[in-house]
Amino acid sequence: MTMTHYMELLATNQPWNLILFMAIPVILAETIAISELAILFTRNLNGSLRSINKVASIIVGLYFTGVFIYLLINAVVPITTAGEWRGITDILAVGLYLSGIVPLLGMALLDMNLIWKNKSAEQKLKIHATFVGIFLVVSHVAMILGMLDPTFGAPTTNDMMNM
């Protein structure tokens, strides 16, 4: 069975690619998610958990921006140019993984006070929590799709002949 480019990336150059492209972003995102829950329950917007949450958000947002640019230049463009996508599942797995840039960079920009400056602390908390949720959904769906055979859902030769 062939792998999606997403899984191939993680399996190549062990353990470094797994650490750089999965472990670091996921550990930081899980730190954000867990601290976010505590902040939401306690409404303590100025405690040490909020500081950890803010630092992790900024680090992962900036870090994933680098990952996004690197993979766009070194994987997505060459794979697309060469016509080497392995099926729709492959495209979706990589696309959803990279779409994590939106919520992760959004959290970083929000915590650096570069966007939504005029929002109240409560409103920013809601936006931040929404970004966390979006990231968790897209990253987990990307992981699931990344584990599938990349040709899953693609028409087979028999399907094409019956058309």
Side-chain angles (χ1 to χ4, degrees):
M1 181 172 87
T2 57
M3 285 192 263
T4 61
H5 283 96
Y6 175 85
M7 278 299 134
E8 186 177 316
L9 171 72
L10 299 177
T12 304
N13 192 29
Q14 285 287 330
W16 303 112
N17 282 8
L18 187 62
I19 292 168
L20 294 171
F21 299 112
M22 177 64 74
I24 292 172
V26 168
I27 290 167
L28 288 166
E30 294 297 338
T31 300
I32 295 163
I34 292 165
S35 59
E36 194 91 15
L37 285 172
I39 293 164
L40 287 167
F41 284 123
T42 64
R43 296 293 188 195
N44 184 354
L45 304 178
N46 299 311
S48 58
L49 274 179
R50 178 60 186 123
S51 296
I52 291 168
N53 181 278
K54 185 175 184 173
V55 169
S57 294
I58 293 169
I59 290 170
V60 77
L62 298 177
Y63 180 83
F64 203 78
T65 299
V67 167
F68 178 85
I69 292 167
Y70 175 82
L71 290 176
L72 196 64
I73 293 168
N74 294 294
V76 174
V77 170
I79 291 167
T80 303
T81 303
E84 294 177 350
W85 289 107
R86 298 173 181 148
I88 189 68
T89 306
D90 190 26
I91 295 166
L92 289 172
V94 172
L96 283 168
Y97 174 77
L98 291 175
S99 73
I101 188 65
V102 174
L104 293 179
L105 186 57
M107 283 188 289
L109 295 174
L110 182 66
D111 283 335
M112 291 188 293
N113 207 31
L114 296 174
I115 59 174
W116 292 300
K117 296 175 190 178
N118 300 325
K119 299 280 186 190
S120 70
E122 278 288 312
Q123 290 170 318
K124 286 183 179 184
L125 183 61
K126 288 176 185 175
I127 294 166
H128 205 274
T130 301
F131 279 144
V132 171
I134 291 168
F135 177 73
L136 290 174
V137 169
V138 298
S139 66
H140 285 88
V141 173
M143 277 189 261
I144 292 165
L145 291 174
M147 291 180 214
L148 287 173
D149 180 327
T151 60
F152 180 78
T156 63
T157 306
N158 287 339
D159 294 333
M160 299 296 263
M161 293 170 87
N162 291 333
M163 289 182 154

